[in-house]
Amino acid sequence: MDPQLLRSIWPVFAAETREQIQAIGSKVLGLEQPASARDADLMPSLKRVVHSLKGSAASLGLDDIERIVHAIEDGLSHVDVDQPISRGAVEAMLRGLSAIENALNRGDAGEQPVVDGVGSLLKALGHEEPAPPGSDDAAINGPLGEDGLKALVALETALSTLVSPKVEDRAGAVRSAVDQAHALRQIAEAVQADAVATLAEAAALGFTRMEEGGDAAGQAAAEVAGALVDLRMALSVAEEAVAVLKPEPVNLTPAPAAKPAARASTPAPEGRAGTVDRAVRVSVKTLDSLALQVEHLVSGRSQQGRRTEGFRSLTDQAHEVLLHLERAASQLAMSGGGSALEPLRTGVGLMRTMQKRLLEHAKEAHRDGEQQSLIGQVIRDDLRDLRMVPASQVLEPLRRTVRETAARLGKEVALELGGTDVRLDRRIVDALKDPLVHLVRNAIDHGLEMPAERKAAGKQETGRLVVRVEARGTRIGVIVEDDGAGLDPVRVRATAVRRGLMNQEAADKLSDAQAARLIFQPGFSTRDEVTSTSGRGVGLDVVLATAQRLQGSADVEYTPGKGTRFIVDLPLTLAAALGLLVRTGTTITAIPSDTVKRVLRLDADDVGTVAGRVVARLDGEQLTFLSLSEAIGLPRMPLALESGRRQTAVLLSLGEERVLYAIDEVVGQQELVVRALGKHLRDVTHLAGAAVLDDGRVVPVLNAPELLRAAKPDTRTSGGESKLPRILVCDDSLTTRFAMKSLLEIAGYPVVTASDGEEAWQVLERVHCHLVVSDWQMPRLDGVGLARRIKGHPMFRRTPIILVTSLDSNEDRAAGLEAGADGYLVKREVERGKLLELVRQLLPG
């Protein structure tokens, strides 16, 4: 990685990694508790943090940290969630975390962030790897290192011999091991390496206990093994301490050219010790706090504006009082009021003076408020500019991730980065780091084929991976796109069933688009084997969770055989945003104004149905039309269209997605400071947070991208039947038939139609319908005849039927009810919403 770029990223990485280390340590300690006493999310959340830390280290090329965290992750995959974790495993993981923290301290001081004793740590974690030249064993040199290493190797050999069931001279092997341990203790004491001496003595005592054999020998062997692991690490630390205490000889000869280091490691951030600003994290928090206070200042300005309006209202009221008093004084003067006139005139004069003062105060308050508003806006803009950084800070580290992941998997990948100059909120950049690493690794591992497979498919052997950031007005789009094989919905469904995320019946009902989105579920992975790259089911769920936490959304598109595209939509900045306040029923909600393109009123003629989907015509285009109250989980409220009135609607738009949502009223517009909702509501995808209005009310802020995504037809239907009852509409007039069909479908009912009674009877025999709405006068079989036939059939006699006609005499009503009709409506009552009222009475479910 470019040293300049690493130096700019390092403070953020180091601070975040320390937080992750603390979280991992506390969660690992929690695994020692019985399963019944643990939080159900302990192990999944622990794996997520570990996986994120591993990806962060890999993206910066910090090999030592990545290897240790990978070993911890691998060890967690073998932990029995129903049993407490062993003490040795906990201690090994905590030692690994301490070693990583020491490496971070080196990086902060401008040195290389390497980890001491990587081989020993990996061995303790049960993930031993061959030590590269120049590391671990090779690093233990000098008087303590050479003799100590020999003694350590002898002790390890003795332990292997004693645990073998074929050992012949157990007593002799124990004596030899004890002698080696005592010799090592003496060497350590000579150079004042107390930790090495203590561990050597512990190993000697353990070997002595192993001479007895039996169960006690097995327990002693485990203790000796742990002591030897600690001993190897202590030897490394002690040797470094001895080297520091030794005076270096003066060398008067020119120094030879430096040889390249045998150990592959990433260059440390440039600069000498102490040059890295350890207060960067604190400064960022201070900046956040300052930005929040500025947002409160802007919000307070709105409250002050309301008070100014209150002053003006009082001034107007005072003016009205003056008019009444002056009129009363004039009337008294004309009638010879005498002594009462003078006090009244005095009161009028005082009132006029008070009115002038009120008016002056109102003007001053308005002027001060405007000045505060200007100052607050300038400060907010300056702070926002300070937080904006180029997208290259999050995109450039992906080059190392792509190169290493591709090499590990044996694939050829060409990475293209776009939009590196787009400036983003620093908080967005920080939050994007983990999701982008997961998306890139997923694309290389699951998306791109092996070179031979690509060649056989007629593609270039080198796969193409594009990661770009697109500016979209007040929002950004982050796209990760590959030209691989594309998603396989069939395989995704099968994996979801196999991993217990759903049953086969539910999986079969999913559309291909819904099945594709299953890859964002926690624990989902199509890999049967766990590798260092994938297979643990941790990754894409982090992408979706991060996007939703940032008031955005994540989606996936694919073309079989040609590739997959992931789209993460996010706001450009997380500062205060302008929100449109709307009312649905009695609930006030806020919608980010950057996604609201229009507010309009719809007539009944503007709304219809296409393929069972309610749409509205706007500018020559048919747009999905939904009720906002139902979309956000509120009780369904009757639409104005159902009563023949015009319907207020908001047009939400993001990119090419456009949806109309029915609302009751637009309340206003206001600057909002959006706050997180906490863990209890984090799974409510349509909520981006909450905000406090200038009058003190707390309102939910809707996640507009998620509302747009959920409005897609393939995300709103499951392939099965609707939960609402199906209705048969029968009328020989096409216009009337379509009007009633549209009215019922807007209310959510699935509708089938027929042009007369005979056709309606044929439909009933083929399709199960829960209610029939029929015209009276029709050819072949009229409504009364259809009602008699339905009520006389044993299978259909419980099916309610409503007769709709222009005949409005008492005799006609009586004839219809006598034929078995459960309801009778005149056509003009349909237009006034009476049809839906009657339908809901007959079908309360």
Coordinates of all heavy atoms in Angstrom, one line a residue, residues 583-665:
R583 N -48.6 13.3 7.5 CA -49.6 12.6 8.4 C -50.3 11.5 7.7 O -50.8 11.6 6.6 CB -50.6 13.6 9.0 CG -51.6 13.0 10.0 CD -52.6 14.0 10.5 NE -53.4 14.6 9.5 CZ -54.5 14.0 9.0 NH1 -54.9 12.8 9.5 NH2 -55.2 14.5 8.0
T584 N -50.3 10.3 8.4 CA -51.1 9.2 7.9 C -51.9 8.7 9.1 O -51.4 8.3 10.1 CB -50.3 8.0 7.4 OG1 -49.3 7.7 8.4 CG2 -49.5 8.4 6.1
G585 N -53.3 8.9 9.1 CA -54.1 8.7 10.2 C -53.7 9.7 11.3 O -53.8 10.9 11.1
T586 N -53.3 9.3 12.5 CA -52.9 10.2 13.6 C -51.4 10.2 13.8 O -50.9 10.8 14.7 CB -53.6 9.7 14.9 OG1 -53.2 8.4 15.2 CG2 -55.1 9.8 14.8
T587 N -50.7 9.6 12.9 CA -49.2 9.4 13.0 C -48.5 10.4 12.1 O -48.8 10.5 10.9 CB -48.8 8.0 12.7 OG1 -49.4 7.1 13.5 CG2 -47.3 7.9 12.9
I588 N -47.6 11.2 12.7 CA -46.7 12.1 12.0 C -45.4 11.4 11.7 O -44.7 10.9 12.7 CB -46.5 13.4 12.7 CG1 -47.8 14.1 13.1 CG2 -45.6 14.3 11.9 CD1 -48.6 14.5 11.8
T589 N -44.9 11.3 10.5 CA -43.6 10.8 10.2 C -42.8 11.8 9.3 O -43.4 12.7 8.7 CB -43.7 9.4 9.4 OG1 -44.6 9.6 8.2 CG2 -44.4 8.4 10.3
A590 N -41.5 11.6 9.2 CA -40.7 12.4 8.4 C -40.0 11.6 7.3 O -39.6 10.5 7.6 CB -39.6 13.1 9.3
I591 N -40.0 12.2 6.1 CA -39.4 11.6 5.0 C -38.3 12.5 4.5 O -38.5 13.7 4.3 CB -40.4 11.4 3.8 CG1 -41.6 10.6 4.3 CG2 -39.7 10.6 2.7 CD1 -42.7 10.5 3.2
P592 N -37.0 12.0 4.4 CA -35.9 12.9 3.9 C -36.3 13.6 2.6 O -36.8 12.9 1.6 CB -34.8 11.9 3.6 CG -35.0 10.8 4.6 CD -36.5 10.6 4.6
S593 N -36.2 14.9 2.5 CA -36.7 15.6 1.4 C -36.0 15.4 0.1 O -36.5 15.6 -1.0 CB -36.6 17.1 1.7 OG -37.5 17.5 2.8
D594 N -34.7 14.8 0.2 CA -34.0 14.6 -1.0 C -34.5 13.5 -1.8 O -34.2 13.3 -3.0 CB -32.5 14.3 -0.7 CG -32.3 13.1 0.2 OD1 -33.3 12.6 0.7 OD2 -31.2 12.7 0.4
T595 N -35.4 12.7 -1.2 CA -36.0 11.6 -2.0 C -37.5 11.9 -2.4 O -38.1 11.1 -3.1 CB -36.1 10.3 -1.2 OG1 -36.7 10.5 0.0 CG2 -34.6 9.8 -0.9
V596 N -38.0 13.1 -1.9 CA -39.4 13.5 -2.3 C -39.3 14.4 -3.5 O -38.8 15.5 -3.4 CB -40.1 14.2 -1.1 CG1 -41.5 14.6 -1.5 CG2 -40.1 13.2 0.1
K597 N -39.8 14.0 -4.6 CA -39.8 14.8 -5.8 C -41.0 15.6 -6.0 O -40.9 16.7 -6.5 CB -39.6 13.9 -7.0 CG -38.3 13.1 -7.0 CD -37.1 14.0 -6.8 CE -35.8 13.2 -6.7 NZ -34.7 14.1 -6.3
R598 N -42.2 15.1 -5.6 CA -43.4 15.9 -5.8 C -44.4 15.5 -4.7 O -44.4 14.4 -4.2 CB -44.0 15.6 -7.2 CG -43.3 16.2 -8.3 CD -43.9 15.8 -9.7 NE -45.2 16.3 -9.8 CZ -46.0 16.0 -10.9 NH1 -45.5 15.3 -11.9 NH2 -47.2 16.5 -11.0
V599 N -45.3 16.5 -4.4 CA -46.5 16.2 -3.6 C -47.7 16.6 -4.5 O -47.7 17.7 -5.1 CB -46.5 17.0 -2.3 CG1 -47.8 16.8 -1.6 CG2 -45.3 16.7 -1.5
L600 N -48.6 15.7 -4.7 CA -49.7 15.9 -5.6 C -51.0 15.3 -5.1 O -51.0 14.6 -4.1 CB -49.3 15.3 -7.0 CG -49.1 13.8 -7.1 CD1 -49.4 13.3 -8.5 CD2 -47.7 13.4 -6.7
R601 N -52.1 15.6 -5.9 CA -53.4 15.1 -5.6 C -53.9 14.2 -6.8 O -53.7 14.6 -7.9 CB -54.4 16.2 -5.3 CG -54.2 16.9 -3.9 CD -55.3 17.9 -3.7 NE -55.1 18.6 -2.4 CZ -55.6 18.1 -1.3 NH1 -56.2 17.0 -1.2 NH2 -55.4 18.8 -0.1
L602 N -54.4 13.1 -6.5 CA -54.8 12.1 -7.5 C -56.4 12.0 -7.5 O -57.0 12.0 -6.5 CB -54.2 10.7 -7.3 CG -52.7 10.6 -7.3 CD1 -52.3 9.2 -6.8 CD2 -52.2 10.9 -8.7
D603 N -56.9 12.0 -8.7 CA -58.3 11.7 -8.9 C -58.5 10.2 -9.0 O -57.6 9.4 -9.3 CB -58.8 12.4 -10.1 CG -58.8 13.9 -10.0 OD1 -59.2 14.4 -8.9 OD2 -58.4 14.6 -10.9
A604 N -59.8 9.8 -8.9 CA -60.1 8.3 -9.0 C -59.7 7.8 -10.4 O -59.3 6.7 -10.6 CB -61.6 8.1 -8.8
D605 N -59.8 8.7 -11.5 CA -59.5 8.3 -12.8 C -58.0 8.1 -13.0 O -57.6 7.4 -14.0 CB -60.0 9.3 -13.8 CG -61.5 9.4 -13.9 OD1 -62.2 8.4 -13.4 OD2 -62.0 10.5 -14.3
D606 N -57.2 8.6 -12.1 CA -55.7 8.4 -12.2 C -55.2 7.1 -11.7 O -54.1 6.8 -11.9 CB -55.0 9.6 -11.4 CG -55.3 10.9 -12.0 OD1 -55.5 11.0 -13.2 OD2 -55.4 11.9 -11.2
V607 N -56.1 6.4 -11.0 CA -55.7 5.1 -10.3 C -56.4 4.0 -10.9 O -57.6 4.0 -11.3 CB -56.0 5.2 -8.8 CG1 -55.6 3.9 -8.1 CG2 -55.3 6.4 -8.1
G608 N -55.6 2.9 -11.1 CA -56.2 1.7 -11.7 C -55.3 0.5 -11.3 O -54.5 0.6 -10.4
T609 N -55.5 -0.6 -11.9 CA -54.8 -1.8 -11.7 C -54.2 -2.4 -12.9 O -54.8 -2.3 -14.0 CB -55.7 -2.9 -11.0 OG1 -56.7 -3.2 -11.9 CG2 -56.2 -2.4 -9.7
V610 N -53.0 -2.9 -12.8 CA -52.3 -3.6 -13.9 C -51.7 -4.9 -13.3 O -50.9 -4.9 -12.4 CB -51.2 -2.8 -14.5 CG1 -50.4 -3.6 -15.6 CG2 -51.8 -1.5 -15.1
A611 N -52.2 -6.1 -13.9 CA -51.8 -7.4 -13.4 C -51.9 -7.5 -11.9 O -51.0 -8.0 -11.2 CB -50.3 -7.6 -13.8
G612 N -53.0 -7.0 -11.4 CA -53.3 -7.1 -9.9 C -52.5 -6.2 -9.1 O -52.6 -6.2 -7.9
R613 N -51.8 -5.2 -9.7 CA -51.0 -4.3 -9.0 C -51.6 -2.9 -9.1 O -51.9 -2.5 -10.2 CB -49.6 -4.2 -9.5 CG -48.6 -3.3 -8.8 CD -47.2 -3.6 -9.3 NE -47.0 -3.4 -10.7 CZ -46.4 -2.3 -11.2 NH1 -46.1 -1.3 -10.5 NH2 -46.3 -2.2 -12.6
V614 N -51.8 -2.2 -8.0 CA -52.4 -0.8 -8.1 C -51.4 0.1 -8.6 O -50.3 0.2 -8.1 CB -52.9 -0.4 -6.7 CG1 -53.6 0.9 -6.7 CG2 -53.9 -1.5 -6.1
V615 N -51.8 0.9 -9.6 CA -50.9 1.9 -10.2 C -51.6 3.2 -10.3 O -52.8 3.3 -10.3 CB -50.4 1.4 -11.6 CG1 -49.6 0.1 -11.5 CG2 -51.5 1.3 -12.6
A616 N -50.8 4.3 -10.5 CA -51.3 5.6 -10.7 C -50.6 6.2 -12.0 O -49.4 6.0 -12.1 CB -51.2 6.5 -9.5
R617 N -51.4 6.9 -12.8 CA -50.8 7.5 -14.0 C -50.3 8.8 -13.6 O -51.0 9.7 -13.1 CB -51.9 7.6 -15.1 CG -52.2 6.3 -15.7 CD -53.2 6.5 -16.9 NE -54.4 7.1 -16.5 CZ -55.5 6.3 -16.1 NH1 -55.4 5.0 -16.0 NH2 -56.6 7.0 -15.8
L618 N -49.0 9.1 -14.0 CA -48.4 10.3 -13.7 C -47.4 10.7 -14.9 O -46.5 9.9 -15.1 CB -47.6 10.3 -12.4 CG -46.9 11.6 -12.0 CD1 -47.9 12.7 -11.7 CD2 -46.1 11.4 -10.7
D619 N -47.6 11.7 -15.5 CA -46.8 12.2 -16.7 C -46.6 11.1 -17.7 O -45.6 10.8 -18.2 CB -45.4 12.6 -16.1 CG -45.5 13.7 -15.1 OD1 -46.4 14.5 -15.3 OD2 -44.6 13.8 -14.3
G620 N -47.8 10.4 -18.0 CA -47.7 9.4 -19.0 C -47.1 8.1 -18.6 O -46.9 7.1 -19.4
E621 N -46.8 7.9 -17.3 CA -46.1 6.7 -16.8 C -47.0 6.1 -15.7 O -47.6 6.8 -14.9 CB -44.7 7.1 -16.2 CG -43.9 5.9 -15.7 CD -42.6 6.3 -15.1 OE1 -42.3 7.5 -15.1 OE2 -41.8 5.4 -14.7
Q622 N -47.0 4.8 -15.7 CA -47.8 4.0 -14.6 C -46.8 3.7 -13.5 O -45.9 2.9 -13.6 CB -48.4 2.8 -15.2 CG -49.5 3.0 -16.2 CD -50.1 1.8 -16.8 OE1 -49.5 0.7 -16.8 NE2 -51.3 1.9 -17.3
L623 N -47.1 4.3 -12.3 CA -46.2 4.1 -11.1 C -46.9 3.3 -10.1 O -48.2 3.4 -9.9 CB -45.8 5.4 -10.6 CG -45.1 6.4 -11.5 CD1 -44.8 7.7 -10.8 CD2 -43.8 5.8 -12.0
T624 N -46.2 2.5 -9.3 CA -46.7 1.7 -8.2 C -47.4 2.7 -7.2 O -46.7 3.7 -6.8 CB -45.7 0.9 -7.5 OG1 -45.1 0.0 -8.5 CG2 -46.2 0.1 -6.4
F625 N -48.6 2.4 -6.8 CA -49.3 3.3 -5.8 C -49.6 2.5 -4.6 O -50.3 1.5 -4.7 CB -50.6 3.8 -6.5 CG -51.4 4.7 -5.6 CD1 -50.8 5.8 -5.1 CD2 -52.7 4.4 -5.3 CE1 -51.6 6.7 -4.3 CE2 -53.5 5.2 -4.5 CZ -52.9 6.4 -4.0
L626 N -49.1 2.9 -3.4 CA -49.3 2.2 -2.2 C -49.7 3.1 -1.1 O -49.5 4.3 -1.2 CB -48.0 1.5 -1.8 CG -47.4 0.5 -2.7 CD1 -46.0 0.0 -2.3 CD2 -48.3 -0.7 -2.8
S627 N -50.3 2.5 0.0 CA -50.6 3.3 1.2 C -49.4 3.3 2.1 O -48.8 2.3 2.4 CB -51.8 2.6 1.9 OG -52.0 3.2 3.2
L628 N -49.0 4.5 2.5 CA -47.8 4.7 3.4 C -48.1 4.0 4.7 O -47.2 3.5 5.3 CB -47.5 6.2 3.5 CG -46.2 6.4 4.4 CD1 -45.0 5.8 3.7 CD2 -46.0 7.9 4.6
S629 N -49.3 4.1 5.2 CA -49.6 3.6 6.6 C -49.4 2.1 6.6 O -48.8 1.5 7.5 CB -51.0 3.9 7.0 OG -52.0 3.4 6.1
E630 N -49.8 1.4 5.5 CA -49.6 -0.1 5.4 C -48.1 -0.4 5.2 O -47.6 -1.4 5.8 CB -50.4 -0.7 4.3 CG -51.9 -0.6 4.6 CD -52.7 -1.4 3.5 OE1 -52.9 -2.6 3.6 OE2 -53.1 -0.7 2.5
A631 N -47.4 0.4 4.4 CA -46.0 0.2 4.1 C -45.1 0.2 5.4 O -44.1 -0.5 5.5 CB -45.5 1.1 3.1
I632 N -45.5 1.0 6.4 CA -44.7 1.2 7.6 C -45.3 0.4 8.7 O -44.9 0.7 9.9 CB -44.5 2.7 7.9 CG1 -45.8 3.4 8.2 CG2 -43.7 3.4 6.8 CD1 -45.6 4.8 8.6
G633 N -46.2 -0.4 8.5 CA -46.8 -1.3 9.5 C -47.8 -0.7 10.4 O -48.1 -1.3 11.5
L634 N -48.4 0.4 10.0 CA -49.5 1.0 10.8 C -50.9 0.4 10.3 O -51.0 -0.2 9.3 CB -49.6 2.5 10.6 CG -48.4 3.3 11.1 CD1 -48.5 4.7 10.7 CD2 -48.2 3.1 12.6
P635 N -51.9 0.4 11.2 CA -53.2 -0.1 10.7 C -53.7 0.6 9.4 O -53.4 1.8 9.3 CB -54.1 0.3 11.9 CG -53.2 0.4 13.1 CD -51.9 1.0 12.6
R636 N -54.3 -0.1 8.6 CA -54.7 0.4 7.3 C -55.8 1.5 7.5 O -56.8 1.3 8.2 CB -55.3 -0.6 6.4 CG -55.6 -0.1 5.0 CD -56.4 -1.1 4.2 NE -56.6 -0.6 2.9 CZ -57.6 0.3 2.5 NH1 -58.4 0.7 3.5 NH2 -57.7 0.7 1.3
M637 N -55.6 2.7 6.9 CA -56.5 3.7 7.0 C -57.2 3.9 5.6 O -56.6 3.7 4.6 CB -55.8 5.1 7.3 CG -55.0 5.1 8.6 SD -56.1 4.7 10.0 CE -57.1 6.2 10.0
P638 N -58.6 4.1 5.6 CA -59.3 4.2 4.3 C -58.7 5.4 3.5 O -58.4 6.4 4.0 CB -60.7 4.5 4.7 CG -60.8 4.1 6.1 CD -59.5 4.2 6.7
L639 N -58.5 5.1 2.2 CA -58.0 6.2 1.3 C -59.1 7.2 1.0 O -60.3 6.8 1.0 CB -57.5 5.5 0.0 CG -56.3 4.6 0.2 CD1 -55.9 4.0 -1.2 CD2 -55.1 5.2 0.9
A640 N -58.7 8.4 0.7 CA -59.7 9.4 0.3 C -60.5 9.0 -1.0 O -61.6 9.2 -1.2 CB -59.0 10.7 0.0
L641 N -59.8 8.2 -1.9 CA -60.4 7.8 -3.1 C -61.6 6.9 -2.9 O -62.5 6.8 -3.7 CB -59.3 7.1 -4.0 CG -58.2 7.9 -4.6 CD1 -57.2 7.0 -5.3 CD2 -58.8 8.9 -5.6
E642 N -61.5 6.1 -1.8 CA -62.6 5.2 -1.5 C -63.9 5.9 -1.2 O -65.0 5.3 -1.3 CB -62.2 4.3 -0.3 CG -61.0 3.4 -0.6 CD -60.5 2.7 0.6 OE1 -61.2 2.6 1.6 OE2 -59.4 2.1 0.6
S643 N -63.8 7.2 -0.8 CA -65.0 8.0 -0.5 C -65.3 9.0 -1.6 O -66.0 9.9 -1.5 CB -64.8 8.7 0.8 OG -64.6 7.8 1.8
G644 N -64.6 8.8 -2.8 CA -64.8 9.7 -3.9 C -64.1 11.0 -3.8 O -64.4 11.9 -4.6
R645 N -63.2 11.2 -2.9 CA -62.4 12.5 -2.8 C -61.1 12.3 -3.4 O -60.6 11.2 -3.7 CB -62.3 12.8 -1.3 CG -63.6 13.2 -0.6 CD -63.5 13.5 0.8 NE -63.2 12.4 1.7 CZ -62.0 12.1 2.3 NH1 -61.0 13.0 2.2 NH2 -61.8 11.0 3.0
R646 N -60.4 13.4 -3.6 CA -59.0 13.4 -4.2 C -58.1 12.9 -3.1 O -58.2 13.2 -1.9 CB -58.6 14.8 -4.7 CG -59.6 15.4 -5.8 CD -59.1 16.7 -6.3 NE -58.0 16.5 -7.2 CZ -57.2 17.5 -7.7 NH1 -57.4 18.7 -7.3 NH2 -56.2 17.2 -8.5
Q647 N -57.0 12.2 -3.6 CA -56.1 11.6 -2.7 C -54.7 12.3 -2.7 O -54.1 12.5 -3.8 CB -55.8 10.1 -3.1 CG -54.8 9.4 -2.3 CD -55.3 9.2 -0.8 OE1 -56.3 8.7 -0.6 NE2 -54.5 9.7 0.1
T648 N -54.2 12.7 -1.6 CA -52.9 13.3 -1.5 C -51.8 12.2 -1.5 O -52.0 11.2 -0.9 CB -52.7 14.1 -0.2 OG1 -53.8 15.1 -0.1 CG2 -51.4 14.8 -0.1
A649 N -50.8 12.5 -2.3 CA -49.7 11.4 -2.4 C -48.4 12.1 -2.6 O -48.3 13.3 -3.0 CB -50.0 10.6 -3.7
V650 N -47.3 11.4 -2.2 CA -45.9 11.9 -2.3 C -45.2 11.0 -3.3 O -45.4 9.7 -3.3 CB -45.2 11.9 -1.0 CG1 -45.7 13.0 -0.1 CG2 -45.2 10.6 -0.3
L651 N -44.5 11.6 -4.2 CA -43.7 10.8 -5.2 C -42.3 10.7 -4.6 O -41.5 11.6 -4.5 CB -43.7 11.5 -6.5 CG -42.8 10.9 -7.6 CD1 -43.2 9.5 -7.9 CD2 -42.8 11.8 -8.8
L652 N -41.9 9.4 -4.3 CA -40.5 9.1 -3.8 C -39.7 8.7 -5.0 O -40.1 7.9 -5.8 CB -40.5 8.1 -2.8 CG -41.3 8.3 -1.5 CD1 -41.0 7.3 -0.4 CD2 -40.9 9.7 -0.9
S653 N -38.5 9.2 -5.2 CA -37.6 8.9 -6.3 C -36.2 8.8 -5.9 O -35.7 9.6 -5.1 CB -37.8 10.0 -7.4 OG -36.9 9.7 -8.5
L654 N -35.5 7.8 -6.4 CA -34.1 7.5 -6.1 C -33.5 6.8 -7.3 O -33.9 5.7 -7.5 CB -33.9 6.7 -4.8 CG -32.5 6.7 -4.2 CD1 -32.1 8.1 -3.8 CD2 -32.5 5.8 -3.0
G655 N -32.7 7.5 -8.1 CA -32.2 6.9 -9.3 C -33.4 6.7 -10.3 O -34.1 7.7 -10.6
E656 N -33.5 5.5 -10.7 CA -34.6 5.2 -11.7 C -35.9 4.7 -11.0 O -36.9 4.4 -11.6 CB -34.2 4.2 -12.7 CG -33.0 4.7 -13.6 CD -32.6 3.7 -14.6 OE1 -33.1 2.5 -14.5 OE2 -31.7 4.0 -15.4
E657 N -35.8 4.5 -9.7 CA -36.9 4.0 -8.9 C -37.9 5.1 -8.5 O -37.5 6.2 -8.0 CB -36.5 3.3 -7.6 CG -35.6 2.1 -7.9 CD -36.3 1.0 -8.5 OE1 -37.5 0.9 -8.4 OE2 -35.7 0.1 -9.2
R658 N -39.2 5.0 -8.8 CA -40.2 6.0 -8.5 C -41.4 5.3 -8.0 O -42.0 4.4 -8.7 CB -40.5 6.9 -9.7 CG -39.3 7.6 -10.3 CD -39.7 8.9 -10.9 NE -40.7 8.7 -12.0 CZ -41.4 9.7 -12.5 NH1 -41.2 11.0 -12.1 NH2 -42.3 9.5 -13.5
V659 N -42.0 5.7 -6.9 CA -43.2 5.1 -6.3 C -44.0 6.2 -5.7 O -43.5 7.2 -5.1 CB -42.8 4.1 -5.2 CG1 -44.0 3.5 -4.5 CG2 -41.9 3.0 -5.7
L660 N -45.3 6.1 -5.8 CA -46.3 7.0 -5.2 C -46.8 6.4 -3.9 O -47.3 5.2 -3.9 CB -47.4 7.3 -6.1 CG -47.2 8.3 -7.2 CD1 -48.2 8.3 -8.3 CD2 -47.1 9.7 -6.6
Y661 N -46.8 7.1 -2.8 CA -47.4 6.7 -1.5 C -48.5 7.6 -1.1 O -48.4 8.9 -1.2 CB -46.3 6.7 -0.5 CG -45.5 5.4 -0.4 CD1 -44.2 5.4 -1.0 CD2 -46.0 4.2 0.1 CE1 -43.4 4.2 -0.9 CE2 -45.3 3.1 0.2 CZ -44.0 3.1 -0.4 OH -43.3 1.9 -0.3
A662 N -49.6 7.0 -0.8 CA -50.8 7.8 -0.3 C -50.6 8.2 1.1 O -50.2 7.5 2.0 CB -52.0 6.9 -0.4
I663 N -50.9 9.5 1.4 CA -50.8 10.1 2.7 C -52.1 10.9 2.9 O -52.9 11.1 2.0 CB -49.6 11.0 2.9 CG1 -49.6 12.2 1.9 CG2 -48.3 10.2 2.7 CD1 -48.6 13.2 2.1
D664 N -52.3 11.3 4.1 CA -53.5 12.1 4.4 C -53.2 13.6 4.3 O -54.1 14.4 3.9 CB -54.0 11.8 5.9 CG -54.6 10.4 5.9 OD1 -55.1 9.9 4.9 OD2 -54.5 9.8 7.0
E665 N -52.0 14.0 4.7 CA -51.7 15.5 4.8 C -50.2 15.7 4.9 O -49.5 14.9 5.4 CB -52.4 16.1 6.0 CG -52.2 17.6 6.2 CD -52.8 18.1 7.5 OE1 -53.2 17.2 8.3 OE2 -52.8 19.3 7.7

